[in-house]
Coordinates of all heavy atoms in Angstrom, one line a residue:
T51 N 9.9 -21.7 60.3 CA 10.9 -21.4 61.3 C 12.2 -21.1 60.8 O 13.2 -20.9 61.5 CB 10.9 -22.5 62.4 OG1 11.3 -23.7 61.7 CG2 9.6 -22.7 63.1
Y52 N 12.4 -21.2 59.5 CA 13.7 -20.9 58.9 C 14.1 -19.4 58.9 O 13.3 -18.6 58.5 CB 13.8 -21.4 57.4 CG 13.6 -22.9 57.3 CD1 12.3 -23.5 57.1 CD2 14.7 -23.8 57.4 CE1 12.2 -24.9 57.0 CE2 14.5 -25.2 57.2 CZ 13.3 -25.7 57.1 OH 13.1 -27.0 57.0
S53 N 15.3 -19.1 59.3 CA 15.7 -17.7 59.4 C 16.1 -17.2 58.0 O 16.1 -16.0 57.7 CB 16.8 -17.5 60.4 OG 17.9 -18.4 60.1
S54 N 16.6 -18.1 57.2 CA 17.0 -17.8 55.8 C 15.9 -18.3 54.8 O 15.7 -19.5 54.8 CB 18.4 -18.4 55.5 OG 18.8 -18.0 54.2
Y55 N 15.3 -17.4 54.1 CA 14.2 -17.9 53.3 C 14.2 -17.1 52.0 O 14.7 -16.0 51.8 CB 12.9 -17.7 54.0 CG 12.6 -16.3 54.5 CD1 12.1 -15.3 53.7 CD2 12.9 -16.0 55.8 CE1 11.9 -14.0 54.2 CE2 12.7 -14.7 56.3 CZ 12.2 -13.8 55.5 OH 12.0 -12.5 56.0
C56 N 13.5 -17.7 51.0 CA 13.3 -17.1 49.7 C 11.7 -17.1 49.5 O 11.1 -18.1 49.6 CB 13.9 -17.9 48.6 SG 13.7 -17.3 46.9
M57 N 11.2 -15.9 49.3 CA 9.8 -15.7 49.2 C 9.4 -15.2 47.8 O 10.1 -14.3 47.3 CB 9.2 -14.8 50.3 CG 7.8 -14.6 50.3 SD 7.2 -13.2 49.3 CE 5.4 -13.5 49.4
G58 N 8.3 -15.7 47.2 CA 7.9 -15.2 45.9 C 6.5 -14.9 45.8 O 5.7 -15.5 46.5
W59 N 6.1 -14.0 44.9 CA 4.7 -13.8 44.5 C 4.6 -14.3 43.0 O 5.5 -14.0 42.2 CB 4.4 -12.3 44.6 CG 4.2 -11.8 45.9 CD1 5.1 -11.1 46.7 CD2 3.0 -11.8 46.7 NE1 4.5 -10.8 47.9 CE2 3.2 -11.2 47.9 CE3 1.7 -12.4 46.5 CZ2 2.2 -11.1 48.9 CZ3 0.7 -12.2 47.4 CH2 1.0 -11.6 48.7
F60 N 3.5 -15.0 42.8 CA 3.3 -15.5 41.5 C 1.8 -15.2 41.1 O 1.0 -14.8 42.0 CB 3.4 -17.1 41.4 CG 4.8 -17.5 41.6 CD1 5.4 -17.6 42.9 CD2 5.6 -17.9 40.6 CE1 6.7 -18.0 43.1 CE2 6.9 -18.3 40.8 CZ 7.5 -18.4 42.0
R61 N 1.5 -15.3 39.8 CA 0.1 -15.1 39.4 C -0.2 -16.0 38.3 O 0.6 -16.5 37.5 CB -0.1 -13.6 39.0 CG 0.6 -13.2 37.8 CD 0.4 -11.7 37.6 NE 1.0 -11.3 36.3 CZ 1.0 -10.0 35.9 NH1 0.6 -9.0 36.7 NH2 1.6 -9.7 34.8
Q62 N -1.5 -16.3 38.2 CA -2.0 -17.1 37.1 C -3.3 -16.5 36.5 O -4.3 -16.5 37.3 CB -2.2 -18.6 37.5 CG -2.6 -19.5 36.4 CD -2.4 -21.0 36.8 OE1 -2.3 -21.3 37.9 NE2 -2.4 -21.8 35.8
G63 N -3.2 -16.0 35.3 CA -4.4 -15.4 34.7 C -5.2 -16.5 34.0 O -4.8 -17.7 33.9
P64 N -6.4 -16.1 33.5 CA -7.3 -17.1 32.8 C -6.6 -17.7 31.6 O -6.1 -17.0 30.7 CB -8.4 -16.2 32.4 CG -8.4 -15.0 33.2 CD -7.0 -14.8 33.5
G65 N -6.5 -19.0 31.6 CA -5.9 -19.7 30.4 C -4.4 -19.5 30.3 O -3.9 -19.8 29.2
T66 N -3.7 -19.1 31.3 CA -2.3 -18.9 31.2 C -1.5 -19.7 32.2 O -2.1 -20.2 33.2 CB -1.9 -17.4 31.4 OG1 -2.2 -17.0 32.8 CG2 -2.7 -16.5 30.5
E67 N -0.2 -19.8 32.0 CA 0.6 -20.5 32.9 C 0.9 -19.6 34.2 O 0.8 -18.4 34.1 CB 2.0 -20.8 32.3 CG 1.9 -21.6 31.0 CD 2.1 -23.1 31.3 OE1 2.9 -23.4 32.2 OE2 1.5 -23.9 30.6
R68 N 1.2 -20.2 35.3 CA 1.6 -19.5 36.4 C 2.9 -18.8 36.1 O 3.8 -19.4 35.6 CB 1.7 -20.4 37.6 CG 2.0 -19.7 38.9 CD 1.9 -20.6 40.1 NE 0.6 -21.2 40.3 CZ 0.2 -21.9 41.4 NH1 1.0 -22.1 42.4 NH2 -1.0 -22.4 41.4
E69 N 3.0 -17.5 36.5 CA 4.2 -16.7 36.2 C 4.6 -16.0 37.4 O 3.9 -15.6 38.3 CB 3.9 -15.7 35.1 CG 2.9 -14.6 35.4 CD 2.8 -13.6 34.2 OE1 3.3 -13.9 33.1 OE2 2.1 -12.6 34.4
W70 N 5.9 -15.8 37.5 CA 6.6 -15.1 38.6 C 6.3 -13.6 38.5 O 6.5 -13.0 37.5 CB 8.1 -15.5 38.6 CG 8.9 -14.8 39.6 CD1 8.9 -15.0 41.0 CD2 9.8 -13.7 39.4 NE1 9.8 -14.2 41.6 CE2 10.4 -13.4 40.7 CE3 10.3 -13.1 38.3 CZ2 11.4 -12.4 40.8 CZ3 11.3 -12.1 38.4 CH2 11.8 -11.8 39.7
V71 N 6.0 -13.0 39.6 CA 5.8 -11.6 39.7 C 7.0 -10.9 40.3 O 7.5 -9.8 39.9 CB 4.5 -11.3 40.5 CG1 4.4 -9.8 40.8 CG2 3.3 -11.8 39.8
G72 N 7.5 -11.4 41.4 CA 8.6 -10.9 42.1 C 8.9 -11.6 43.4 O 8.1 -12.5 43.8
G73 N 9.9 -11.2 44.1 CA 10.2 -11.9 45.4 C 11.1 -11.1 46.3 O 11.6 -10.0 46.0
I74 N 11.2 -11.6 47.5 CA 12.1 -11.0 48.5 C 12.7 -12.1 49.3 O 12.2 -13.2 49.5 CB 11.2 -10.0 49.4 CG1 12.1 -9.2 50.4 CG2 10.2 -10.8 50.2 CD1 11.4 -8.1 51.1
D75 N 14.0 -11.8 49.7 CA 14.7 -12.8 50.5 C 14.9 -12.3 51.9 O 14.5 -11.2 52.3 CB 16.0 -13.2 49.9 CG 17.0 -12.1 49.7 OD1 17.0 -11.3 50.6 OD2 17.7 -12.1 48.7
S76 N 15.4 -13.2 52.8 CA 15.6 -12.9 54.2 C 16.6 -11.8 54.4 O 16.7 -11.2 55.5 CB 16.0 -14.1 55.0 OG 17.0 -14.9 54.3
D77 N 17.4 -11.4 53.4 CA 18.3 -10.2 53.4 C 17.6 -9.0 53.0 O 18.2 -7.9 52.8 CB 19.5 -10.5 52.6 CG 20.4 -11.6 53.1 OD1 20.4 -11.8 54.3 OD2 21.1 -12.2 52.3
S78 N 16.3 -9.1 52.7 CA 15.4 -8.0 52.2 C 15.7 -7.5 50.8 O 15.4 -6.4 50.5 CB 15.5 -6.8 53.2 OG 15.0 -7.2 54.5
S79 N 16.4 -8.3 50.1 CA 16.6 -8.0 48.7 C 15.4 -8.4 47.8 O 14.8 -9.4 48.0 CB 17.8 -8.8 48.1 OG 19.0 -8.4 48.8
T80 N 15.0 -7.5 47.0 CA 13.8 -7.7 46.1 C 14.2 -7.8 44.7 O 15.1 -7.1 44.2 CB 12.8 -6.6 46.3 OG1 13.4 -5.3 46.1 CG2 12.2 -6.6 47.8
T81 N 13.4 -8.5 44.0 CA 13.5 -8.6 42.5 C 12.1 -8.6 41.9 O 11.2 -9.1 42.6 CB 14.3 -9.9 42.1 OG1 13.7 -11.0 42.7 CG2 15.7 -9.8 42.4
Y82 N 12.0 -8.2 40.7 CA 10.7 -8.0 40.0 C 10.8 -8.5 38.6 O 11.8 -8.3 37.9 CB 10.2 -6.6 40.1 CG 10.1 -6.0 41.5 CD1 11.1 -5.3 42.1 CD2 8.9 -6.2 42.2 CE1 11.0 -4.8 43.3 CE2 8.8 -5.7 43.4 CZ 9.8 -5.0 44.0 OH 9.7 -4.5 45.3
A83 N 9.6 -9.0 38.1 CA 9.5 -9.3 36.7 C 9.4 -8.0 36.0 O 8.9 -7.0 36.5 CB 8.3 -10.2 36.5
K84 N 9.9 -8.0 34.7 CA 9.9 -6.8 33.9 C 8.6 -6.2 33.7 O 8.4 -4.9 33.6 CB 10.6 -7.0 32.6 CG 9.9 -8.0 31.7 CD 10.7 -8.3 30.4 CE 10.0 -9.3 29.6 NZ 10.8 -9.5 28.3
Y85 N 7.5 -7.0 33.7 CA 6.2 -6.5 33.4 C 5.5 -5.8 34.6 O 4.4 -5.3 34.5 CB 5.3 -7.6 32.8 CG 5.5 -9.0 33.3 CD1 4.9 -9.4 34.5 CD2 6.3 -9.9 32.7 CE1 5.2 -10.6 35.0 CE2 6.6 -11.1 33.2 CZ 6.0 -11.5 34.4 OH 6.2 -12.8 34.9
V86 N 6.1 -5.9 35.8 CA 5.5 -5.2 36.9 C 6.5 -4.2 37.6 O 6.1 -3.4 38.4 CB 5.1 -6.2 38.0 CG1 4.1 -7.2 37.5 CG2 6.3 -6.9 38.7
K87 N 7.8 -4.2 37.1 CA 8.8 -3.4 37.7 C 8.4 -1.9 37.6 O 8.0 -1.5 36.5 CB 10.1 -3.6 37.1 CG 11.3 -3.1 37.9 CD 12.6 -3.6 37.3 CE 13.8 -3.2 38.2 NZ 15.1 -3.8 37.6
G88 N 8.5 -1.2 38.7 CA 8.1 0.2 38.7 C 6.7 0.4 39.1 O 6.3 1.6 39.4
R89 N 5.9 -0.6 39.1 CA 4.5 -0.5 39.5 C 4.2 -1.3 40.8 O 3.3 -0.9 41.6 CB 3.6 -1.0 38.4 CG 3.7 -0.3 37.0 CD 2.6 -0.8 36.1 NE 2.8 -2.2 35.7 CZ 1.8 -3.1 35.8 NH1 0.6 -2.7 36.4 NH2 2.0 -4.3 35.5
F90 N 4.9 -2.4 41.0 CA 4.6 -3.3 42.1 C 5.8 -3.1 43.1 O 7.0 -3.0 42.7 CB 4.5 -4.7 41.7 CG 3.2 -5.1 41.0 CD1 2.4 -4.1 40.5 CD2 2.9 -6.4 40.7 CE1 1.2 -4.4 39.8 CE2 1.8 -6.7 40.0 CZ 0.9 -5.7 39.6
T91 N 5.5 -3.2 44.4 CA 6.6 -3.2 45.4 C 6.3 -4.3 46.4 O 5.2 -4.4 46.9 CB 6.6 -1.8 46.1 OG1 6.7 -0.8 45.2 CG2 7.7 -1.8 47.1
I92 N 7.4 -5.0 46.7 CA 7.3 -6.1 47.7 C 8.0 -5.7 48.9 O 9.1 -5.1 48.9 CB 7.9 -7.4 47.1 CG1 7.1 -7.9 45.9 CG2 7.9 -8.5 48.2 CD1 7.8 -9.0 45.2
S93 N 7.4 -6.0 50.1 CA 8.0 -5.7 51.4 C 7.7 -6.7 52.4 O 6.9 -7.6 52.1 CB 7.6 -4.3 51.9 OG 6.2 -4.2 52.0
Q94 N 8.3 -6.7 53.5 CA 8.0 -7.6 54.6 C 7.9 -7.0 55.9 O 8.7 -6.0 56.2 CB 9.0 -8.8 54.6 CG 10.4 -8.4 54.8 CD 11.4 -9.6 54.6 OE1 11.0 -10.7 54.8 NE2 12.6 -9.3 54.3
D95 N 7.0 -7.5 56.7 CA 6.9 -7.0 58.1 C 7.3 -8.2 59.0 O 6.5 -9.1 59.3 CB 5.5 -6.6 58.5 CG 5.4 -6.0 59.9 OD1 6.2 -6.4 60.7 OD2 4.4 -5.3 60.1
S96 N 8.6 -8.3 59.3 CA 9.1 -9.4 60.0 C 8.5 -9.7 61.3 O 8.2 -10.8 61.8 CB 10.7 -9.3 60.2 OG 11.3 -9.2 59.0
A97 N 8.1 -8.6 62.0 CA 7.5 -8.7 63.3 C 6.1 -9.4 63.2 O 5.7 -10.2 64.1 CB 7.3 -7.4 64.0
K98 N 5.5 -9.2 62.1 CA 4.2 -9.8 61.9 C 4.2 -11.1 61.0 O 3.2 -11.6 60.7 CB 3.2 -8.8 61.3 CG 3.0 -7.6 62.3 CD 2.0 -6.6 61.7 CE 1.7 -5.5 62.6 NZ 0.8 -4.5 62.0
N99 N 5.4 -11.4 60.5 CA 5.5 -12.6 59.6 C 4.6 -12.4 58.4 O 3.9 -13.3 58.0 CB 5.2 -13.9 60.3 CG 6.3 -14.2 61.3 OD1 7.5 -13.9 61.2 ND2 5.9 -14.9 62.4
T100 N 4.6 -11.2 57.9 CA 3.7 -10.9 56.8 C 4.5 -10.3 55.6 O 5.4 -9.5 55.8 CB 2.6 -9.9 57.2 OG1 1.9 -10.5 58.3 CG2 1.7 -9.5 56.1
F101 N 4.1 -10.7 54.4 CA 4.7 -10.2 53.2 C 3.7 -9.4 52.5 O 2.5 -9.7 52.4 CB 5.2 -11.3 52.3 CG 6.3 -12.1 53.0 CD1 5.9 -13.3 53.7 CD2 7.6 -11.8 52.9 CE1 6.9 -14.0 54.3 CE2 8.6 -12.6 53.6 CZ 8.2 -13.7 54.3
I102 N 4.1 -8.3 51.9 CA 3.2 -7.3 51.2 C 3.5 -7.2 49.7 O 4.7 -7.1 49.4 CB 3.2 -5.9 51.9 CG1 2.9 -6.0 53.4 CG2 2.3 -5.0 51.2 CD1 1.6 -6.5 53.7
L103 N 2.5 -7.2 48.9 CA 2.6 -6.9 47.5 C 1.8 -5.6 47.2 O 0.5 -5.8 47.2 CB 2.2 -8.0 46.6 CG 2.3 -7.8 45.1 CD1 3.7 -7.5 44.7 CD2 1.7 -9.0 44.3
Q104 N 2.4 -4.5 47.1 CA 1.7 -3.3 46.8 C 1.7 -3.1 45.3 O 2.7 -3.1 44.6 CB 2.4 -2.1 47.4 CG 1.8 -0.7 47.1 CD 0.4 -0.6 47.7 OE1 0.2 -0.9 48.8 NE2 -0.5 0.0 46.9
M105 N 0.5 -3.0 44.7 CA 0.3 -3.0 43.3 C -0.3 -1.7 42.9 O -1.5 -1.4 43.3 CB -0.6 -4.2 42.8 CG -0.1 -5.5 43.2 SD -1.0 -6.9 42.5 CE -2.6 -6.6 43.4
N106 N 0.4 -0.9 42.1 CA -0.1 0.4 41.7 C -0.2 0.4 40.1 O 0.4 -0.4 39.5 CB 0.9 1.5 42.1 CG 1.0 1.6 43.6 OD1 0.0 1.4 44.4 ND2 2.2 2.0 44.1
S107 N -0.9 1.4 39.6 CA -1.0 1.6 38.2 C -1.5 0.2 37.5 O -0.9 -0.2 36.5 CB 0.3 2.1 37.6 OG 0.7 3.3 38.1
L108 N -2.5 -0.4 38.1 CA -2.9 -1.7 37.6 C -3.5 -1.6 36.2 O -4.1 -0.6 35.8 CB -3.9 -2.3 38.6 CG -3.3 -2.9 39.9 CD1 -4.3 -3.0 41.0 CD2 -2.6 -4.2 39.6
K109 N -3.2 -2.7 35.5 CA -3.7 -2.8 34.1 C -4.6 -4.0 34.0 O -4.5 -5.0 34.8 CB -2.5 -3.0 33.2 CG -1.4 -1.9 33.3 CD -0.2 -2.3 32.4 CE 0.9 -1.2 32.5 NZ 2.0 -1.5 31.7
P110 N -5.5 -4.1 33.0 CA -6.3 -5.2 32.8 C -5.5 -6.5 32.7 O -6.0 -7.6 33.2 CB -7.1 -4.9 31.6 CG -7.2 -3.4 31.5 CD -5.8 -3.0 32.1
E111 N -4.3 -6.5 32.1 CA -3.5 -7.7 32.0 C -2.9 -8.2 33.3 O -2.3 -9.2 33.4 CB -2.4 -7.5 31.0 CG -1.6 -6.3 31.2 CD -2.0 -5.1 30.3 OE1 -3.3 -4.8 30.2 OE2 -1.1 -4.4 29.8
D112 N -3.1 -7.4 34.4 CA -2.7 -7.9 35.7 C -3.7 -8.8 36.4 O -3.5 -9.3 37.5 CB -2.4 -6.7 36.6 CG -1.2 -5.8 36.2 OD1 -0.2 -6.4 35.8 OD2 -1.3 -4.6 36.3
T113 N -4.9 -8.9 35.7 CA -6.0 -9.7 36.2 C -5.5 -11.2 36.4 O -5.0 -11.8 35.4 CB -7.2 -9.7 35.3 OG1 -7.7 -8.4 35.4 CG2 -8.3 -10.7 35.8
A114 N -5.6 -11.7 37.6 CA -5.1 -13.1 37.8 C -5.4 -13.5 39.2 O -5.8 -12.6 40.1 CB -3.5 -13.1 37.6
V115 N -5.2 -14.8 39.5 CA -5.1 -15.2 40.9 C -3.7 -15.1 41.4 O -2.7 -15.6 40.7 CB -5.6 -16.7 41.1 CG1 -5.4 -17.1 42.5 CG2 -7.0 -16.8 40.6
Y116 N -3.4 -14.4 42.5 CA -2.1 -14.1 43.0 C -1.8 -15.1 44.1 O -2.6 -15.2 45.0 CB -2.0 -12.7 43.4 CG -1.8 -11.7 42.2 CD1 -2.9 -11.5 41.4 CD2 -0.6 -11.1 42.0 CE1 -2.7 -10.6 40.3 CE2 -0.4 -10.3 40.9 CZ -1.5 -10.0 40.1 OH -1.4 -9.2 39.0
Y117 N -0.6 -15.7 44.1 CA -0.2 -16.6 45.1 C 1.1 -16.2 45.7 O 2.0 -15.6 45.1 CB 0.1 -18.0 44.5 CG -1.1 -18.6 43.8 CD1 -1.4 -18.4 42.4 CD2 -1.9 -19.5 44.5 CE1 -2.4 -19.0 41.8 CE2 -3.0 -20.1 43.9 CZ -3.3 -19.8 42.5 OH -4.3 -20.4 41.9
C118 N 1.3 -16.4 47.0 CA 2.6 -16.3 47.6 C 3.2 -17.6 47.9 O 2.4 -18.6 48.1 CB 2.5 -15.4 48.9 SG 1.4 -16.1 50.2
A119 N 4.5 -17.7 47.9 CA 5.2 -19.0 48.2 C 6.4 -18.7 48.9 O 7.0 -17.6 48.8 CB 5.5 -19.6 46.8
I120 N 6.9 -19.7 49.7 CA 8.1 -19.5 50.5 C 8.8 -20.8 50.6 O 8.2 -21.9 50.6 CB 7.8 -18.9 51.9 CG1 9.0 -18.3 52.6 CG2 7.1 -19.9 52.8 CD1 8.7 -17.5 53.8
D121 N 10.2 -20.7 50.8 CA 11.0 -21.9 50.9 C 12.3 -21.5 51.6 O 12.7 -20.4 51.6 CB 11.3 -22.4 49.5 CG 11.6 -23.9 49.5 OD1 10.7 -24.7 49.9 OD2 12.7 -24.3 49.1
P122 N 12.8 -22.5 52.3 CA 14.1 -22.2 52.9 C 15.1 -21.9 51.8 O 15.0 -22.4 50.7 CB 14.5 -23.6 53.6 CG 13.2 -24.2 53.8 CD 12.3 -23.8 52.6
W123 N 16.1 -21.1 52.2 CA 17.1 -20.6 51.2 C 18.5 -21.0 51.6 O 19.0 -20.5 52.6 CB 17.0 -19.1 51.1 CG 17.9 -18.4 50.1 CD1 18.4 -19.0 49.0 CD2 18.4 -17.1 50.2 NE1 19.1 -18.0 48.3 CE2 19.2 -16.9 49.1 CE3 18.3 -16.0 51.1 CZ2 19.8 -15.7 48.8 CZ3 18.9 -14.8 50.9 CH2 19.7 -14.7 49.7
G124 N 19.0 -22.0 50.9 CA 20.3 -22.5 51.3 C 21.4 -21.7 50.7 O 21.2 -20.8 49.8
E125 N 22.6 -21.8 51.3 CA 23.8 -21.0 51.0 C 24.1 -21.1 49.5 O 24.5 -20.1 48.9 CB 25.0 -21.4 51.8 CG 24.9 -21.0 53.2 CD 26.2 -21.3 54.0 OE1 27.2 -21.7 53.3 OE2 26.2 -21.0 55.2
S126 N 24.0 -22.2 48.9 CA 24.4 -22.4 47.5 C 23.2 -22.2 46.5 O 23.3 -22.5 45.3 CB 24.9 -23.8 47.3 OG 24.0 -24.8 47.6
E127 N 22.1 -21.7 47.0 CA 20.9 -21.6 46.2 C 20.7 -20.1 45.7 O 21.1 -19.2 46.4 CB 19.7 -22.0 46.9 CG 19.6 -23.5 47.2 CD 18.3 -23.9 48.0 OE1 17.9 -23.2 48.8 OE2 17.8 -25.0 47.6
W128 N 20.1 -20.0 44.6 CA 19.7 -18.7 44.1 C 18.3 -18.4 44.6 O 17.5 -19.2 44.9 CB 19.6 -18.7 42.5 CG 20.9 -18.8 41.8 CD1 21.5 -19.9 41.3 CD2 21.8 -17.7 41.6 NE1 22.7 -19.6 40.8 CE2 22.9 -18.3 40.9 CE3 21.8 -16.3 41.9 CZ2 24.0 -17.5 40.5 CZ3 22.9 -15.6 41.5 CH2 24.0 -16.1 40.8
C129 N 18.1 -17.1 44.7 CA 16.7 -16.6 45.1 C 16.5 -15.4 44.2 O 17.3 -14.5 44.2 CB 16.6 -16.2 46.5 SG 15.0 -15.6 47.0
P130 N 15.4 -15.3 43.4 CA 14.2 -16.2 43.4 C 14.4 -17.6 42.8 O 15.4 -17.8 42.1 CB 13.2 -15.4 42.6 CG 14.1 -14.6 41.6 CD 15.3 -14.3 42.4
K131 N 13.5 -18.4 43.2 CA 13.5 -19.8 42.7 C 12.4 -20.0 41.6 O 11.4 -19.3 41.6 CB 13.3 -20.8 43.8 CG 14.3 -20.7 44.9 CD 14.0 -21.8 46.0 CE 15.0 -21.8 47.1 NZ 14.8 -22.9 48.1
P132 N 12.6 -21.0 40.8 CA 11.5 -21.4 39.9 C 10.3 -21.9 40.8 O 10.5 -22.4 41.9 CB 12.1 -22.6 39.1 CG 13.5 -22.4 39.2 CD 13.8 -21.8 40.6
A133 N 9.1 -21.7 40.2 CA 7.9 -22.1 41.0 C 7.9 -23.5 41.5 O 7.5 -23.7 42.7 CB 6.7 -21.9 40.1
N134 N 8.5 -24.4 40.8 CA 8.4 -25.8 41.2 C 9.4 -26.1 42.4 O 9.4 -27.2 42.9 CB 8.6 -26.8 40.1 CG 10.0 -26.6 39.4 OD1 10.8 -25.8 39.8 ND2 10.3 -27.4 38.4
E135 N 10.2 -25.1 42.8 CA 11.1 -25.3 43.9 C 10.6 -24.7 45.2 O 11.3 -24.9 46.2 CB 12.5 -24.8 43.5 CG 13.2 -25.5 42.4 CD 14.6 -25.0 42.1 OE1 15.1 -24.3 43.0 OE2 15.1 -25.4 41.1
Y136 N 9.4 -24.1 45.2 CA 8.9 -23.7 46.4 C 8.0 -24.8 47.0 O 7.1 -25.3 46.3 CB 8.0 -22.4 46.2 CG 8.8 -21.2 45.9 CD1 9.1 -20.8 44.6 CD2 9.2 -20.3 46.9 CE1 9.9 -19.7 44.3 CE2 9.9 -19.2 46.6 CZ 10.3 -18.9 45.3 OH 11.0 -17.7 45.0
N137 N 8.2 -25.0 48.3 CA 7.5 -26.1 48.9 C 6.2 -25.6 49.6 O 5.3 -26.4 49.8 CB 8.3 -26.8 50.0 CG 9.4 -27.7 49.4 OD1 9.0 -28.7 48.8 ND2 10.6 -27.3 49.5
Y138 N 6.1 -24.4 49.8 CA 4.9 -23.9 50.6 C 4.2 -22.8 49.8 O 4.9 -21.8 49.4 CB 5.3 -23.4 52.0 CG 6.1 -24.4 52.7 CD1 7.5 -24.3 52.9 CD2 5.5 -25.5 53.3 CE1 8.3 -25.2 53.6 CE2 6.2 -26.4 54.0 CZ 7.6 -26.3 54.2 OH 8.3 -27.2 54.8
W139 N 2.9 -22.9 49.7 CA 2.1 -22.0 48.8 C 0.9 -21.6 49.6 O 0.3 -22.3 50.4 CB 1.7 -22.7 47.6 CG 2.8 -22.9 46.6 CD1 3.7 -23.9 46.6 CD2 3.1 -22.1 45.5 NE1 4.5 -23.8 45.5 CE2 4.2 -22.7 44.8 CE3 2.6 -20.9 45.0 CZ2 4.8 -22.1 43.7 CZ3 3.2 -20.3 43.8 CH2 4.3 -20.9 43.2
G140 N 0.4 -20.4 49.3 CA -0.9 -19.9 49.8 C -2.0 -20.4 48.9 O -1.7 -21.0 47.8
Q141 N -3.2 -20.1 49.3 CA -4.4 -20.6 48.5 C -4.7 -19.7 47.3 O -5.5 -20.1 46.4 CB -5.6 -20.7 49.4 CG -6.3 -19.4 49.7 CD -5.6 -18.4 50.6 OE1 -4.5 -18.7 51.1 NE2 -6.2 -17.2 50.8
G142 N -4.1 -18.5 47.3 CA -4.4 -17.6 46.2 C -5.5 -16.6 46.5 O -6.4 -16.8 47.3
T143 N -5.4 -15.4 45.9 CA -6.4 -14.4 46.0 C -6.6 -13.7 44.6 O -5.7 -13.5 43.9 CB -6.0 -13.3 47.1 OG1 -7.1 -12.4 47.3 CG2 -4.8 -12.5 46.7
Q144 N -7.9 -13.5 44.3 CA -8.2 -13.0 42.9 C -8.1 -11.5 42.9 O -8.5 -10.8 43.7 CB -9.7 -13.4 42.6 CG -10.2 -12.9 41.3 CD -9.5 -13.6 40.1 OE1 -9.4 -14.8 40.1 NE2 -9.1 -12.8 39.1
V145 N -7.4 -11.1 41.8 CA -7.3 -9.7 41.5 C -7.9 -9.5 40.1 O -7.5 -10.1 39.1 CB -5.8 -9.2 41.5 CG1 -5.7 -7.8 40.9 CG2 -5.3 -9.3 42.9
T146 N -8.9 -8.6 40.0 CA -9.5 -8.3 38.7 C -9.4 -6.8 38.4 O -9.8 -6.0 39.3 CB -11.0 -8.7 38.8 OG1 -11.1 -10.1 39.1 CG2 -11.7 -8.4 37.4
V147 N -8.9 -6.5 37.3 CA -8.7 -5.1 36.9 C -9.5 -4.9 35.6 O -9.3 -5.5 34.6 CB -7.2 -4.8 36.6 CG1 -7.0 -3.3 36.3 CG2 -6.3 -5.2 37.8

Side-chain angles (χ1 to χ4, degrees):
T51 58
Y52 295 91
S53 58
S54 182
Y55 55 82
C56 180
M57 183 272 172
W59 285 97
F60 294 80
R61 68 187 185 186
Q62 187 165 14
T66 66
E67 301 263 327
R68 186 171 297 190
E69 64 180 8
W70 176 71
V71 173
I74 189 167
D75 61 36
S76 45
D77 293 334
S78 298
S79 295
T80 54
T81 51
Y82 300 93
K84 59 182 179 181
Y85 34 83
V86 304
K87 197 169 186 178
R89 300 187 297 123
F90 291 11
T91 303
I92 297 171
S93 60
Q94 58 186 336
D95 183 337
S96 299
K98 297 181 180 179
N99 291 331
T100 300
F101 301 91
I102 303 296
L103 177 63
Q104 177 66 45
M105 305 185 294
N106 299 328
S107 302
L108 283 161
K109 305 175 181 180
E111 52 263 43
D112 294 319
T113 295
V115 178
Y116 283 71
Y117 300 89
C118 60
I120 197 167
D121 205 60
W123 183 28
E125 285 187 4
S126 60
E127 293 182 320
W128 290 98
C129 180
K131 299 182 177 185
N134 62 359
E135 293 186 14
Y136 286 91
N137 284 295
Y138 306 104
W139 289 82
Q141 82 287 355
T143 186
Q144 176 70 47
V145 170
T146 302
V147 185

